Amino acid sequence: MTIKVLIADDQAMVRSGLRLILEDQPDITVVGEAADGAEAVALARRLRPDVCLVDIRMPRLDGIEVTRALAGPGVADPLRVVVVTTFDLDEYVHGALRGGAVGFILKDAGPVLLVEAVRAANAGDALVSPSVTLRLLRHLAAAAAPAARRPARPLSERETEVVRAIARGRTNQEIAAELFISLSTVKSHLAGIQAKLGVRNRVEIAAWAWENRLTDAL
């Protein structure tokens, strides 16, 4: 099945470069391009792509506003948004993740990570790369408020292990292998964790883990 992608970036050269990388893959096709945030929201709602690749800084609406409009808590049928940014914009990325983004990558991350992020988002997963996400989340955790959010119900010991693994950037398959449990059990734990934490995806789970210092021993 072909993954349909929308690219939103205010620089034509960046859009062209991303299109070339993505369409070099047999399972990915770019169905639209947007040069600003308002156009991105309109195109995404009309085309309903599988994944929206959104720049963080754009005219009219920035990446955070686009993310909230397409994937925010109040959106009935949210789209999957991957934010593209640079590390020094970490506060904006944090806002985008809270707004519903399922992942983010750096603009200089390279074609392999870009493709991985798109495929992960399409699969309902999120790219939590140790080389990118953990560095950013560690930075965010250092600035987090001392009284971080607590779960509605305490996490079990196994759920805590799964949270730690997610914060390390592990995939579901890797978590299953590390904890000697089935893939379906991992998915079941994820559903329980999301319900207890009040979050919607594994990126938010990872952010919660860093905020609550569950990764101090990593």
Side-chain angles (χ1 to χ4, degrees):
M1 184 178 294
T2 301
I3 303 170
K4 298 179 294 183
V5 177
L6 171 69
I7 298 172
D9 195 291
D10 62 338
Q11 298 184 51
M13 289 184 64
V14 172
R15 296 197 305 273
S16 297
L18 295 177
R19 177 185 281 271
L20 285 173
I21 291 169
L22 295 174
E23 294 201 326
D24 191 44
Q25 304 300 313
D27 59 334
I28 299 176
T29 185
V30 176
V31 296
E33 294 183 18
D36 63 64
E39 184 182 10
V41 172
L43 273 179
R45 288 173 173 168
R46 178 165 61 86
L47 299 175
R48 301 296 301 178
D50 299 308
V51 179
C52 301
L53 206 59
V54 178
D55 184 21
I56 199 70
R57 280 188 171 175
M58 292 184 292
R60 299 172 71 185
L61 294 176
D62 64 25
I64 297 175
E65 294 171 305
V66 171
T67 300
R68 288 173 180 160
L70 299 179
V75 178
D77 189 14
L79 291 168
R80 293 162 181 157
V81 177
V82 175
V83 173
V84 183
T85 186
T86 54
F87 181 70
D88 62 336
L89 296 176
D90 54 287
E91 68 274 17
Y92 297 116
V93 178
H94 196 207
L97 297 180
R98 293 298 183 214
V102 297
F104 62 86
I105 58 174
L106 303 182
K107 282 192 174 181
D108 60 356
V112 173
L113 194 62
L114 173 69
V115 172
E116 285 181 358
V118 169
R119 288 178 177 151
N122 180 65
D125 208 338
L127 183 70
V128 183
S129 169
S131 63
V132 178
T133 306
L134 300 190
R135 180 183 175 193
L136 176 59
L137 290 175
R138 185 178 291 113
H139 183 78
L140 292 174
R149 296 170 299 135
R150 307 307 301 177
R153 288 174 290 137
L155 299 179
S156 68
E157 183 177 347
R158 180 63 86 186
E159 287 172 337
T160 300
E161 290 176 332
V162 172
V163 169
R164 288 179 184 274
I166 290 172
R168 293 188 186 98
R170 302 295 192 262
T171 64
N172 286 356
Q173 291 81 0
E174 290 171 337
I175 294 172
E178 288 180 2
L179 301 182
F180 302 102
I181 57 179
S182 68
L183 187 59
S184 62
T185 300
V186 173
K187 293 179 179 178
S188 177
H189 283 314
L190 280 173
I193 291 166
Q194 288 177 203
K196 288 182 177 180
L197 299 184
V199 300
R200 300 191 305 164
N201 56 59
R202 66 197 298 120
V203 175
E204 291 185 358
I205 292 174
W208 180 89
W210 283 97
E211 290 174 355
N212 284 271
R213 304 298 194 270
L214 292 186
T215 55
D216 286 348
L218 301 185

